[in-house]
Amino acid sequence: VTGIVADSKNPVHAGDVISIYCTGLGPVNPAVAEGVAASSTVLSQTTTPVTATVGGQTATVNFAGLAPSYIGLYQVNVVIPNGVTPGDNVSIVLTEGSQVSQPVTISVR
């Protein structure tokens, strides 16, 4: 909602929900035709569950699907779990089926 990057000046905390934007998460339901923007009123969720780890801890994924009003962009909403070791380079990894993302880092306090 804020559009602020979770860096050392704006760290996230346990319980915060962050949005991760990515590509390549595959089919969604309801389906959206290629080249067409996702609906802003009906959410299209991934058909294969997406999981996330933050700092090696399992995190809750509240939503994984097409980002509303965008073409081919996915949004994954993740709750920062309790017990993550604070730091400026805390890794986040998404997994869908057998595909594992490259880690990215955020700041957690």
Side-chain angles (χ1 to χ4, degrees), residues 28 30-40 44 66-74:
V28 293
V32 175
E34 188 174 323
V36 174
S39 171
S40 62
S44 291
L66 291 175
S69 303
Y70 287 90
I71 299 171
L73 183 66
Y74 292 82

Side-chain angles (χ1 to χ4, degrees), residues 5-11 87-88 106-109:
V5 175
D7 59 15
S8 61
K9 294 177 185 174
N10 302 290
D88 289 331
I106 60 171
S107 291
V108 178
R109 296 287 182 266

Side-chain angles (χ1 to χ4, degrees), residues 14-102:
D16 288 349
V17 178
I18 62 170
S19 294
I20 302 164
Y21 294 92
C22 57
T23 60
L25 295 180
V28 293
N29 185 23
V32 175
E34 188 174 323
V36 174
S39 171
S40 62
T41 57
V42 178
L43 297 177
S44 291
Q45 298 188 29
T46 58
T47 57
T48 302
V50 174
T51 61
T53 60
V54 177
Q57 305 256 354
T58 300
T60 299
V61 174
N62 286 344
F63 172 76
L66 291 175
S69 303
Y70 287 90
I71 299 171
L73 183 66
Y74 292 82
Q75 176 178 332
V76 181
N77 296 342
V78 175
V79 180
I80 303 300
N82 291 316
V84 173
T85 302
D88 289 331
N89 292 301
V90 176
S91 69
I92 296 179
V93 176
L94 299 179
T95 303
E96 182 188 43
S98 63
Q99 292 187 316
V100 179
S101 74
Q102 293 294 318

